[in-house]
Amino acid sequence: MNEKALRTLEYNKIIQKLSELAGSSRGKELCAGLLPNHKLSDITRLQKETTDALSRLLRRGSLSFSGIHDIRPSLMRLKVGSALGAVELLRISSDLDATLRIKAYGGYTGKESDVEHEDSLTEYFAGLEPLTPLSNEIKRCIISEEEIADDASSTLKSIRRSIRVTNDKIHSELSSILNSSKNVLQENIITMRDGRYCLPVRAEYKNQFQGMIHDQSSTGSTLFIEPMAVVRLNNDLRELSLKEKEEIEKILADLSELAGQHVEQLEYDYNTITGLDFIFSRATLSKIMKGSEPVFNNNGIINLKKARHPLIDPKQVVPIDVRIGSDFNMLIITGPNTGGKTVTLKTVGLLTLMGQAGLHIPAYDNSELAMFDEVYADIGDEQSIEQSLSTFSSHMTNIVSILQKADENSLVLFDELGAGTDPTEGAALAMSILSYLHKRRIRTMATTHYSELKIYALSTEGVLNASCEFDVESLRPTYRLLIGIPGKSNAFAISSKLGLPDYIIEEAKKLIGKQDRTFEDLISDLEESRVTIEREQDEILQYKAEIEKLKKSLDKKNENLEASKMRILKEAKEQASLIVNEAKDVADESIRKFNRWLQQGGSIKDMEAERANLRDRLSESSDLPIGKAPKPGKKVTPKSLDIGDSVFVTKLGLRGTVSTLPNPKGDLLVQMGALSSQVNIKDLEAIEDEEKKPRTDTSTRSGKIKMSKSATISPEINLIGKTVDEAIFLLDKYLDDAYLAHAPKVTVIHGRGTGALRNAVHSFLKKSKYVKDFRVGGFNEGNTGATIVEFK
């Protein structure tokens, strides 16, 4: 791309923002050197990398690239076999630590499960090798940039131990001299000169103090003398220091040799982590700008959806929809000053450059960009005082250069084309330039105030008008781009709002041509129609939204009703089941009580009390939805009543079948399920909805009832394994059911055992009033392990 377009469209400011996001020096270099690409495959790769990095940022959080040093000079020295210093080795270790951290962030483990999360960055992360043994060895030997660890080698440890011992001896000897020679010393301190321990001796006592003079004070009153007693120890200390230095050099050489064995991997790691720094900087910029990956094409089509200029405050910028290249290849934008025309040009140009550089653009998903070989822009005041060029001349010089270089693979942006000179000539020049570019099918966007260019766009196929909307009432632009509608300068309306007298405005209107007035009136009518249509569309969308909201609300209510219905039915079934089970238990218990009373000669008073209790319990449950009761009919009379008739017992609220005809008192037996009870004819009602059957069917109906009951009773009961109490309880209920079912005889299986269960059964049978006889089973009846019971 040409440097002028990059500067005019402020691409360098985007690059500056990008560079600030990089954490390494090489990452910043890569960001600073990023330029728009001309190959679609390279653009696609860069965009995919940015998208995948952004996805990782959103999924796993930010990735730090701090602690990365430029080790390229050190790697060059390792390649030729040179030894590195402690600082260089520590920087290599720091880079390896960063490599380990970055590889862990990438989450690549080499397992098959990683295949599900592979993207364009997986290969980068997989190729990283932290060289942990090398990094640990460097950190073990080198504590800081100025200190080597004692444990770096056994020799160094021994030397440093000897140095400490020698230092202790020197200090001990010097302390002794200090105490014995206080009168000849200037100060009672130990100092060092040229790496040797000395004492500050007064100049007048130099001949009385034996030793080597190493220095003197600026006044000459003090001499720094090394006592003869520590000369040998100082010599030993100097020798040990030299050995220490040699050993440290040897340690650094060994570490350098170890690092040199991995120089290729170190170089790959460095280039990869700094390259990832570059990629994640692009992703971070996209996250900050709320950008998205554009869709590129080779057809010259641009279709930006809600595009925002990345250098304008996000709280103030107004998104615009721009398209060009599909059904038209030239867009002429008109409208008042400060309406957003220039921002529109810069937005399209800058987003094109950013997209081709692999950067995401601040626009909605699936926005389209075309790949251009060059972007040319003539925007802004190009007046040059040094070259004595006016604004018009400077613009025209730039335009001439553009016309010479532009081709069908170029995007050309003109701001105020033809301005700065006579309007008539400027409009003619602008129309001619645009016509030339249009014939060559060069994608062009131009802003203008000339009405001639509006007419040119209306009358030329492949050229379309656009305008930046302006609110005359508030005298402020809305910055909305309206494609297909030419704009007005609104000079008269703005002037009137600002207070210019009407008679001056009317006079001005007379001075413009009739054709111009007609054209402006046409534009005004179009603008009013557009506003009306947009308002109606907004209302329609609002109605649709309300309808959709109501539909969702109705669907939700229907779902709630259906859920409530299912819940109520479920609760009703559960309640009915409980009532039925309770009724069965009450009926069984009542039958046993009545049978005992009949056998044991119970009082009528107790039976009536139990019957009243049953009626109370039934009345408590009468309000529950346990099913639809038979429709009661008229009162029955003794003459109309036959055995087998269906009746409704009003006091009990139960349906039954007549078992006997009424006696003179009107009492009769009615069979109500498992309950057979004596009731009075006054408490009976005929059931009208059931057909009365002939008398000849009575025996058949009675037989069916008996057979139905008998079919549910087993001819034998097995009490083996039960305790005496459990067995007697089960036997009591079984005999009740069998007797009601009119079974002639049953078999009670109690087993042989100790005979205790058999004796308990026989004792119970002797007391039973409705047992006619019982005996031990025969050969084919279980022998002594069973008892045969016959009913009365």
Side-chain angles (χ1 to χ4, degrees):
M1 292 291 175
N2 64 89
E3 182 65 28
K4 181 176 177 57
L6 298 178
R7 185 177 64 256
T8 301
L9 297 172
E10 299 178 293
Y11 176 80
N12 59 316
K13 292 184 179 180
I14 298 296
I15 295 302
Q16 183 179 353
K17 286 179 174 288
L18 179 65
S19 300
E20 292 172 355
L21 298 173
S24 63
S25 58
R26 183 170 181 267
K28 293 182 181 295
E29 291 175 8
L30 293 172
C31 291
L34 180 63
L35 291 173
N37 210 301
H38 298 141
K39 290 181 64 177
L40 186 59
S41 58
D42 291 340
I43 295 173
T44 304
R45 175 181 58 80
L46 291 171
Q47 288 288 349
K48 185 68 168 62
E49 290 175 349
T50 306
T51 299
D52 292 339
L54 178 60
S55 176
R56 288 175 181 259
L57 285 178
L58 297 175
R59 189 172 66 248
R60 303 198 58 182
S62 61
L63 173 60
S64 172
F65 288 91
S66 60
I68 299 177
H69 302 278
D70 189 354
I71 61 173
R72 287 175 291 182
S74 300
L75 296 179
M76 292 296 294
R77 293 179 60 194
L78 287 177
K79 288 180 180 180
V80 297
S82 299
L84 303 181
V87 175
E88 294 175 293
L89 289 168
L90 282 176
R91 288 179 177 176
I92 289 176
S93 176
S94 178
D95 281 10
L96 290 176
D97 288 343
T99 302
L100 178 63
R101 182 177 67 250
I102 293 168
K103 186 178 181 68
Y105 177 90
Y108 185 82
T109 61
K111 298 180 181 179
E112 293 183 1
S113 58
D114 293 333
V115 177
E116 299 177 3
H117 305 288
E118 283 188 358
D119 54 27
S120 61
L121 306 182
T122 301
E123 186 177 352
Y124 296 139
F125 287 109
L128 292 175
E129 181 54 55
L131 300 176
T132 304
L134 172 60
S135 178
N136 291 340
E137 182 65 14
I138 292 174
K139 286 185 284 188
R140 184 187 72 83
C141 296
I142 305 175
I143 296 176
S144 67
E145 295 182 357
E146 299 177 352
E147 184 179 3
I148 304 298
D150 292 350
D151 294 331
S153 73
S154 58
T155 303
L156 181 62
K157 188 173 184 179
S158 176
I159 291 173
R160 286 184 171 173
R161 184 167 55 247
S162 299
I163 289 175
R164 287 192 292 271
V165 172
T166 303
N167 272 320
D168 292 341
K169 289 180 180 180
I170 292 174
H171 278 84
S172 178
E173 188 69 30
L174 290 175
S175 297
S176 177
I177 295 173
L178 281 173
N179 292 330
S180 61
S181 306
K182 291 182 179 180
N183 59 326
V184 300
L185 298 177
Q186 191 76 28
E187 292 180 79
N188 194 24
I189 62 170
I190 300 172
T191 184
M192 291 194 75
R193 289 294 184 272
D194 297 328
R196 302 180 74 87
Y197 289 99
C198 299
L199 295 175
V201 179
R202 294 177 181 177
E204 59 268 25
Y205 293 109
K206 67 178 179 177
N207 293 327
Q208 300 178 19
F209 194 91
Q210 294 185 354
M212 298 177 62
I213 299 174
H214 286 280
D215 198 4
Q216 69 176 5
S217 65
S218 58
T219 60
S221 61
T222 303
L223 298 177
F224 296 95
I225 301 176
E226 178 185 1
M228 291 301 295
V230 297
V231 170
R232 184 181 60 80
L233 291 174
N234 271 331
N235 290 339
D236 292 343
L237 187 61
R238 176 61 65 88
E239 185 178 350
L240 288 171
S241 296
L242 293 174
K243 288 182 179 179
E244 179 189 28
K245 183 178 180 181
E246 290 176 1
E247 183 61 24
I248 288 174
E249 290 177 352
K250 183 175 180 298
I251 292 170
L252 294 178
D254 291 343
L255 290 174
S256 299
E257 183 181 358
L258 182 61
Q261 297 173 9
H262 305 282
V263 65
E264 292 183 359
Q265 184 63 50
L266 287 170
E267 188 172 19
Y268 175 84
D269 285 348
Y270 175 75
N271 290 333
T272 301
I273 60 178
T274 52
L276 286 171
D277 184 16
F278 173 45
I279 293 172
F280 275 85
S281 297
R282 304 199 309 259
T284 304
L285 181 66
S286 173
K287 183 179 178 182
I288 293 172
M289 297 189 308
K290 298 181 180 179
S292 65
E293 179 183 352
V295 179
F296 273 89
N297 63 80
N298 281 319
N299 303 321
I301 297 175
I302 295 176
N303 186 13
L304 297 175
K305 304 173 183 177
K306 303 300 178 185
R308 309 177 304 277
H309 195 287
L311 298 177
I312 299 178
D313 186 351
K315 296 180 181 179
Q316 298 179 357
V317 66
V318 178
I320 58 172
D321 295 323
V322 188
R323 58 186 176 86
I324 186 175
S326 53
D327 48 352
F328 59 93
N329 58 21
M330 182 173 289
L331 191 65
I332 298 177
I333 306 173
T334 52
N337 290 326
T338 70
K341 300 189 301 298
T342 304
V343 172
T344 299
L345 291 184
K346 286 190 172 183
T347 300
V348 174
L350 181 56
L351 266 54
T352 297
L353 297 177
M354 289 174 61
Q356 291 190 211
L359 300 175
H360 283 181
I361 61 173
Y364 278 11
D365 290 339
N366 297 319
S367 291
E368 290 186 77
L369 286 176
M371 195 194 73
F372 295 107
D373 293 339
E374 280 287 356
V375 175
Y376 297 102
D378 180 60
I379 300 173
D381 189 357
E382 300 289 339
Q383 185 173 4
S384 174
I385 297 176
E386 293 83 357
Q387 299 179 13
S388 300
L389 295 176
S390 66
T391 300
F392 176 78
S393 299
S394 180
H395 276 294
M396 192 51 62
T397 301
N398 192 25
I399 291 171
V400 170
S401 176
I402 291 174
L403 295 178
Q404 291 174 347
K405 299 175 182 178
D407 58 23
E408 61 182 11
N409 293 322
S410 301
L411 174 65
V412 178
L413 306 172
F414 290 130
D415 186 28
E416 300 293 350
L417 181 60
T421 186
D422 178 76
T424 303
E425 294 180 356
L429 277 174
M431 203 180 309
S432 178
I433 291 170
L434 294 177
S435 179
Y436 171 77
L437 294 172
H438 179 55
K439 290 177 181 177
R440 296 183 58 190
R441 303 186 60 81
I442 298 175
R443 304 300 188 271
T444 305
M445 293 179 64
T447 67
T448 184
H449 285 287
Y450 295 141
S451 298
E452 291 85 350
L453 294 184
K454 302 175 189 177
I455 298 173
Y456 169 75
L458 289 172
S459 59
T460 306
E461 186 178 356
V463 182
L464 206 62
N465 271 306
S467 60
C468 290
E469 190 179 48
F470 188 87
D471 187 356
V472 179
E473 295 298 325
S474 63
L475 297 181
R476 290 182 179 180
T478 64
Y479 300 106
R480 289 180 59 201
L481 183 67
L482 308 174
I483 295 180
I485 300 175
K488 288 184 63 179
S489 65
N490 293 305
F492 293 152
I494 294 173
S495 300
S496 177
K497 285 287 182 181
L498 293 176
L500 190 67
D502 292 341
Y503 59 85
I504 294 180
I505 295 174
E506 291 299 325
E507 184 66 23
K509 288 181 178 180
K510 295 177 181 178
L511 296 177
I512 62 174
K514 181 179 179 182
Q515 184 177 357
D516 294 333
R517 287 200 304 272
T518 303
F519 182 72
E520 289 296 322
D521 292 340
L522 176 61
I523 293 177
S524 297
D525 293 340
L526 287 173
E527 179 67 12
E528 291 178 2
S529 300
R530 181 193 63 79
V531 171
T532 302
I533 292 172
E534 285 189 354
R535 189 185 303 114
E536 291 175 351
Q537 287 178 341
D538 291 341
E539 291 177 356
I540 291 172
L541 292 175
Q542 185 177 356
Y543 291 148
K544 284 184 177 180
E546 290 178 359
I547 291 171
E548 186 66 23
K549 184 178 180 181
L550 290 172
K551 183 177 179 297
K552 290 181 179 179
S553 176
L554 182 60
D555 291 341
K556 188 175 181 180
K557 286 182 179 179
N558 288 336
E559 290 176 2
N560 293 337
L561 286 173
E562 187 66 24
S564 299
K565 175 183 175 183
M566 298 301 296
R567 178 176 55 78
I568 292 170
L569 288 174
K570 182 180 178 182
E571 291 176 355
K573 288 180 180 178
E574 292 175 352
Q575 191 175 26
S577 177
L578 290 173
I579 293 172
V580 169
N581 291 335
E582 184 181 0
K584 287 181 179 178
D585 294 340
V586 171
D588 291 342
E589 183 65 23
S590 299
I591 289 170
R592 281 194 293 272
K593 287 181 180 179
F594 284 126
N595 287 330
R596 284 198 196 96
W597 284 332
L598 290 172
Q599 295 171 11
Q600 299 173 4
S603 65
I604 298 299
K605 182 179 180 181
D606 292 339
M607 295 177 67
E608 286 300 326
E610 178 64 21
R611 193 174 288 177
N613 183 35
L614 282 175
R615 282 198 297 271
D616 293 340
R617 297 183 68 172
L618 286 171
S619 63
E620 290 176 1
S621 304
S622 61
D623 294 334
L624 298 176
I626 58 175
K628 185 177 180 182
K631 183 178 179 181
K634 59 183 179 179
K635 293 289 183 179
V636 298
T637 61
K639 293 182 179 180
S640 64
L641 200 62
D642 292 325
I643 295 175
D645 286 352
S646 294
V647 293
F648 183 75
V649 183
T650 56
K651 286 189 175 181
L652 297 178
L654 296 175
R655 173 177 173 170
T657 304
V658 175
S659 299
T660 63
L661 293 176
N663 59 20
K665 294 182 180 180
D667 295 331
L668 69 157
L669 290 176
V670 177
Q671 187 74 32
M672 294 165 285
L675 177 66
S676 179
S677 179
Q678 180 176 309
V679 297
N680 194 277
I681 194 171
K682 297 178 181 178
D683 298 329
L684 299 181
E685 290 182 353
I687 298 177
E688 296 179 352
D689 57 345
E690 188 165 332
E691 295 180 1
K692 185 176 179 181
K693 296 190 176 181
R695 293 177 64 89
T696 54
D697 294 336
T698 302
S699 60
T700 305
R701 289 172 56 86
S702 177
K704 286 182 178 179
I705 293 172
K706 292 177 182 178
M707 289 176 63
S708 174
K709 184 65 180 177
S710 299
T712 61
I713 299 299
S714 173
E716 63 183 30
I717 181 172
N718 190 345
L719 302 178
I720 296 176
K722 308 293 183 182
T723 65
V724 171
D725 292 337
E726 291 174 344
I728 296 305
F729 175 78
L730 294 174
L731 179 61
D732 184 18
K733 185 177 185 306
Y734 172 72
L735 293 177
D736 286 344
D737 293 340
Y739 181 71
L740 289 174
H742 302 285
K745 65 178 180 178
V746 293
T747 302
V748 180
I749 303 172
H750 43 66
R752 295 183 178 87
T754 61
L757 184 57
R758 180 179 68 245
N759 294 335
V761 169
H762 288 181
S763 177
F764 177 79
L765 293 174
K766 288 178 182 179
K767 298 176 182 179
S768 178
K769 298 295 183 180
Y770 46 82
V771 174
K772 179 180 181 182
D773 192 16
F774 64 90
R775 60 181 174 81
V776 175
F779 177 73
N780 292 325
E781 296 174 327
N783 293 329
T784 58
T787 297
I788 309 302
V789 181
E790 295 182 6
F791 293 105
K792 293 180 180 179

